[in-house]
Amino acid sequence: MEASVKPVEIFNLVRSIVQNVNINNFDEMAHTIISIPLKTIYIFENIVDIIYFRALNRPDFTVLYAKLCAYMANHAAFNKLHDSKTTFQKVLAQKIFDMFTSYYTRTPQNEVHKLKKNFMNSNMTPSFFKNILNSFHFQYYKRSLAHCKFIGELFKQGAFTEKNILSFIHELMKVKDILNIHCLCIILRIAGQKLSKTHNLDGIVHHILLFKNENIVLIKMSPTLQSLIFKIQNLHLQCWIQEEPLKLIEDNEQYVSFENLPEQLKKLYDLKSYTVMAQCIIDECMAILNGVDMININEIVHSLNNINSWLHYDQVSFVASMILITLNEDQSIRHKAGILLNLFIKKGLLLIDSVLSGIDKIMDDSELKIELPRLSDLLFDITSRITNLI
């Protein structure tokens, strides 16, 4: 390959290598990628992008891609750029850490926000909306585990240092939730044996087990995660001596789409989707309340008739949400909510029974009664403005 080769030609070559590499031709492919004549930070970053993308989309090749990265990271030709201390390994670690943290912190919120907007501006039913949310949450969860599988292999194969892998682990330990715990388990299952030789894993394993013990009743864990936590606990007790691979119960990796999941696993994603839908209702109620002072109240009624309002699908939750968001506000806000609910009844947008059920839903919340001892008085601020209830 001539030294005058253009970056785009290098990237096409790397894509071809990544697409076609296998166990039999690995040495040949690795030598070819090492032989590229142009080595810059820009080239390195794009090589990482290409490999990382393929690793996430071809999880069965994760080990091979990690070995390819390790080959480059440990080869003299990729160890130092001209007049720079930058190495491929440093670029690899930083680039993947940036993509990893960006994916975790931005992707869910951004995508869910887009889905919520699509729902509001379409004729989509809540049932269809829930299916879309379920599919998104499933694919996001599955892809997150693929991230961590590749990260674990990068350390195991020698492409990452101990400092690199610990930065990912510490990032995952910042938030205690099912996904982060699952990701920690994936990394430890792959990298734990090697990492345990130079780093005490007591704190990380304790973090995982503490989450399980604290949430065993509150949170429904999948059989996959339960068996994986059990596996990590046993490996740690046995000083990370690897045994025969444990076949995880109903491993999500075998399911391509949400529709293929067993009903038991689908319920775990339903809960996430219902949470988003509940927030949608709250957001809509807040927008309505905030709009009262800015536009004519009849325009609000008109707009509700012309948008995909939750009022058309779940009146009880709509009423309960409208009440909830006012309980910690000024009395004038609660009066405003009562006036709106009264108007919606008069205009035929709300049934009186739905309003009563929404009020009962709030009154039956035992935790809310403890949090707000004057709950009855606060509710009266709202109900006193609903003439049909008097």
Side-chain angles (χ1 to χ4, degrees):
M1 189 183 294
E2 297 181 3
S4 60
V5 68
K6 296 178 181 178
V8 67
E9 294 176 285
I10 293 176
F11 302 149
N12 287 336
L13 173 65
V14 173
R15 288 190 186 93
S16 176
I17 290 172
V18 172
Q19 177 66 35
N20 296 295
V21 67
N22 56 53
I23 296 174
N24 297 322
N25 66 12
F26 179 83
D27 290 339
E28 178 189 349
M29 294 294 191
H31 178 73
T32 302
I33 206 169
I34 285 296
S35 302
I36 61 172
L38 194 59
K39 299 177 181 70
T40 65
I41 293 177
Y42 174 71
I43 296 291
F44 284 176
E45 286 180 339
N46 278 272
I47 289 175
V48 173
D49 282 342
I50 292 167
I51 295 176
Y52 198 36
F53 176 79
R54 296 303 297 176
L56 296 184
N57 288 283
R58 301 178 76 193
D60 290 343
F61 286 77
T62 297
V63 175
L64 212 54
Y65 293 144
K67 283 183 177 179
L68 189 60
C69 288
Y71 191 92
M72 288 183 279
N74 293 292
H75 196 283
F78 272 53
N79 265 339
K80 192 174 181 181
L81 297 175
H82 296 297
D83 302 320
S84 171
K85 293 182 179 180
T86 301
T87 64
F88 177 77
Q89 186 180 59
K90 289 180 179 178
V91 173
L92 174 73
Q94 188 60 54
K95 184 75 173 172
I96 289 188
F97 184 79
D98 290 344
M99 289 191 286
F100 170 81
T101 52
S102 175
Y103 182 79
Y104 269 81
T105 56
R106 297 175 193 166
T107 300
Q109 295 90 334
N110 289 349
E111 289 303 316
V112 169
H113 180 69
K114 289 177 187 175
L115 292 174
K116 285 159 69 174
K117 285 188 70 174
N118 288 342
F119 171 80
M120 291 296 294
N121 298 316
S122 69
N123 294 320
M124 193 187 303
T125 64
S127 176
F128 188 70
F129 181 47
K130 181 172 75 72
N131 289 339
I132 291 176
L133 286 171
N134 281 342
S135 294
F136 166 73
H137 286 134
F138 169 75
Q139 293 298 338
Y140 175 73
Y141 200 102
K142 186 180 176 75
R143 196 169 180 84
S144 297
L145 299 185
H147 275 264
C148 293
K149 184 177 179 181
F150 187 49
I151 288 164
E153 286 294 346
L154 284 170
F155 175 74
K156 183 178 179 180
Q157 302 302 329
F160 273 177
T161 64
E162 178 185 311
K163 181 180 178 181
N164 296 150
I165 194 72
L166 287 176
S167 66
F168 288 97
I169 289 173
H170 292 153
E171 193 68 24
L172 287 168
M173 290 175 70
K174 288 180 180 178
V175 178
K176 281 187 179 182
D177 62 20
I178 283 183
L179 177 57
N180 281 25
I181 293 298
H182 201 153
C183 285
L184 280 172
C185 289
I186 290 289
I187 289 177
L188 287 184
R189 185 184 66 173
I190 296 169
Q193 184 183 41
K194 181 178 178 181
L195 186 59
S196 67
K197 294 176 181 178
T198 56
H199 186 82
N200 189 327
L201 300 180
D202 287 351
I204 303 170
V205 175
H206 176 72
H207 177 87
I208 293 170
L209 297 179
L210 185 63
F211 176 84
K212 185 196 77 170
N213 294 335
E214 289 177 344
N215 297 281
I216 195 164
V217 176
L218 297 175
I219 299 177
K220 178 69 175 175
M221 293 187 195
S222 69
T224 302
L225 181 54
Q226 290 180 44
S227 62
L228 187 51
I229 291 175
F230 178 74
K231 170 74 171 178
I232 296 301
Q233 185 178 17
N234 274 355
L235 281 172
H236 189 58
L237 289 172
Q238 296 168 17
C239 300
W240 298 93
I241 298 172
Q242 291 286 5
E243 53 194 49
E244 286 298 313
L246 175 69
K247 175 62 179 176
L248 298 178
I249 304 170
E250 295 181 336
D251 195 333
N252 277 1
E253 289 184 10
Q254 66 178 293
Y255 302 110
V256 178
S257 66
F258 175 80
E259 289 72 23
N260 299 132
L261 285 175
E263 289 303 316
Q264 183 183 3
L265 292 182
K266 282 184 178 180
K267 290 178 181 177
L268 301 176
Y269 295 96
D270 278 343
L271 180 60
K272 286 177 177 287
S273 298
Y274 282 130
T275 301
V276 172
M277 293 166 78
Q279 187 60 50
C280 285
I281 301 175
I282 290 174
D283 290 345
E284 184 180 339
C285 290
M286 290 184 70
I288 292 170
L289 275 174
N290 292 334
V292 171
D293 296 328
M294 293 182 285
I295 60 176
N296 185 286
I297 199 165
N298 288 316
E299 288 184 36
I300 293 176
V301 174
H302 177 74
S303 68
L304 288 174
N305 279 316
N306 289 281
I307 65 169
N308 204 24
S309 170
W310 287 94
L311 194 60
H312 307 317
Y313 300 110
D314 190 347
Q315 293 193 351
V316 175
S317 294
F318 182 92
V319 172
S321 297
M322 181 69 82
I323 294 171
L324 271 175
I325 62 176
T326 67
L327 294 179
N328 289 310
E329 302 295 334
D330 293 338
Q331 186 183 52
S332 61
I333 302 296
R334 288 189 291 279
H335 285 168
K336 194 185 297 182
I339 292 169
L340 278 171
L341 292 175
N342 188 57
L343 179 66
F344 295 161
I345 293 171
K346 285 183 177 180
K347 296 292 184 179
L349 291 173
L350 263 179
L351 297 174
I352 295 177
D353 286 347
S354 297
V355 175
L356 290 171
S357 296
I359 294 170
D360 288 342
K361 195 172 183 179
I362 299 297
M363 288 296 295
D364 292 340
D365 191 325
S366 56
E367 291 185 10
L368 200 56
K369 288 179 181 178
I370 296 172
E371 183 183 341
L372 300 170
R374 293 182 56 251
L375 181 60
S376 297
D377 294 336
L378 298 175
L379 283 173
F380 182 75
D381 291 338
I382 298 171
T383 57
S384 63
R385 295 301 189 267
I386 306 176
T387 56
N388 292 281
L389 298 182
I390 299 174

